[in-house]
Amino acid sequence: MNTLFMMLFALYALLLVSTNYRHWSASPKSLRRVYLVLCGATFALYVCLMIGYEPPMPTSYMIEHLSPWVFEIFHGS
């Protein structure tokens, strides 16, 4: 991805988190935890992409390992 796009997206995400911050006090504690976990996971994946590390994704595992196995089962070769 383009570095400029990634920086603008990060600023936009920070803006959205900061505007939702005042609504956190009115929400239940469990909902706040879920929101923080989701924001933390998103931020961690985003930082991984920014530094050049590509985290393993389940879809790539399925395409590389499971699809040939299923293809072999169906076609018997």
Side-chain angles (χ1 to χ4, degrees), residues 5-66:
F5 172 76
M6 291 181 80
M7 293 304 294
L8 289 175
F9 184 78
L11 290 174
Y12 180 68
L14 285 174
L15 175 72
L16 289 178
V17 168
S18 66
T19 57
N20 288 334
Y21 186 73
R22 61 183 158 168
H23 299 290
W24 288 0
S25 61
S27 63
K29 195 171 188 175
S30 60
L31 187 62
R32 280 186 273 177
R33 281 192 211 129
V34 169
Y35 189 72
L36 287 174
V37 166
L38 288 175
C39 285
T42 303
F43 181 73
L45 285 172
Y46 190 76
V47 167
C48 285
L49 288 175
M50 293 257 324
I51 63 173
Y53 173 71
E54 201 169 312
M57 294 293 180
T59 53
S60 62
Y61 175 78
M62 289 180 65
I63 290 170
E64 293 170 4
H65 297 284
L66 294 180

